[in-house]
Amino acid sequence: MHAWTLVFDLDGTLVDTAPDLTASTNHVMNGIGLAPVAEGDIRPFVGHGALAMIERAAAAQGRQLSQQELYALFDVFIGHYAANIAANSVPYDGVIAALDTFKARGATLAVCTNKTEALARALLDSLDMTRYFSAITGRDSLGVCKPDPGHLTGTIALAGGTAARAIMIGDSETDIKTAQAAAIPVVAVDFGYSLAPVATFWPDMIISHYRDLELAAGRLMDAHLNT
């Protein structure tokens, strides 16, 4: 795996952040006199960002928010989330073991997320995971963000890798389409926050647990070397 770069999405791929994102959404709902929403109702919209979570949570209770209201509530959300970023967020089962294995085998690791870079770093710092990654980029890091392929290729370059020897790991249509647009193989995890089954978007491989990532990545590397 030496000279290969593995680029991971963050929310729904490396870390289950839904509990804390739900708590911040409910902090906003409480502030506007609405009832809290269940985590299960919020999870499918995590990949679409805070604005979508706020809007959907309010709409489910018959409240339509103006753009002005929405952006004001976004600031409330971010303030609460930043202060509680890893209260209940945890890496998915097997993540740390997988990162240790890939690092030990000489792979370069990076994160490419549509979170802001500051929030991504704060989350990874809180979970003692920052040390694994040679580059961490957010939606505000490179002037473009997923699904623009430049976000992924720019992350690979910052990590010191090359697009010809890189693999993307993500949980959503956005991640898969970003990798496909960059002509980079993509492994989809099926336990994240996708609105539809990840198979719908034709990733190169699908895994259901991080113990399977080494085999999946190895097959994609072998396929590249044999083309």
Side-chain angles (χ1 to χ4, degrees):
M1 292 177 183
H2 183 68
W4 280 85
T5 303
L6 274 63
V7 183
F8 296 84
D9 173 52
L10 183 51
D11 298 67
T13 299
L14 285 173
V15 181
D16 185 4
T17 52
D20 291 323
L21 292 166
T22 302
S24 293
T25 302
N26 284 333
H27 173 74
V28 170
M29 293 301 102
N30 182 63
I32 58 174
L34 295 179
V37 294
E39 183 183 317
D41 295 332
I42 286 292
R43 289 178 74 88
F45 302 102
V46 168
H48 295 266
L51 288 172
M53 288 185 283
I54 296 165
E55 187 173 33
R56 296 281 181 162
Q61 301 181 62
R63 178 81 172 267
Q64 300 301 317
L65 299 171
S66 69
Q67 287 294 102
Q68 185 176 358
E69 286 178 301
L70 203 50
Y71 283 103
L73 295 173
F74 174 81
D75 290 340
V76 175
F77 178 103
I78 292 298
H80 183 273
Y81 183 60
N84 300 275
I85 198 161
N88 292 291
S89 294
V90 293
Y92 285 102
D93 191 36
V95 162
I96 300 303
L99 297 178
D100 283 331
T101 295
F102 285 118
K103 288 290 279 187
R105 298 195 176 183
T108 298
L109 309 179
V111 169
C112 177
T113 175
N114 274 351
K115 254 182 165 57
T116 63
E117 182 177 335
L119 286 175
R121 289 183 178 277
L123 174 61
L124 292 167
D125 284 348
S126 295
L127 297 172
D128 191 29
M129 293 173 67
T130 305
R131 57 197 170 91
Y132 288 103
F133 303 107
S134 298
I136 298 167
T137 64
R139 65 181 302 107
D140 54 344
S141 302
L142 299 171
V144 292
C145 63
K146 298 182 294 184
D148 190 305
H151 190 181
L152 176 54
T153 55
T155 303
I156 294 164
L158 280 175
T162 64
R165 284 180 172 258
I167 296 170
M168 174 78 185
I169 300 94
D171 73 307
S172 69
E173 179 183 12
T174 298
D175 297 322
I176 295 165
K177 288 192 170 180
T178 302
Q180 291 168 341
I184 289 169
V186 56
V187 177
V189 301
D190 66 5
F191 45 74
Y193 306 141
S194 181
L195 277 168
V198 288
T200 308
F201 311 115
W202 298 99
D204 296 282
M205 302 284 286
I206 298 171
I207 62 170
S208 298
H209 191 282
Y210 267 89
R211 61 174 164 261
D212 301 321
L213 181 57
E214 186 178 3
L215 178 60
R219 285 179 176 172
L220 293 176
M221 292 173 192
D222 289 344
H224 171 81
L225 294 174
N226 291 326
T227 54

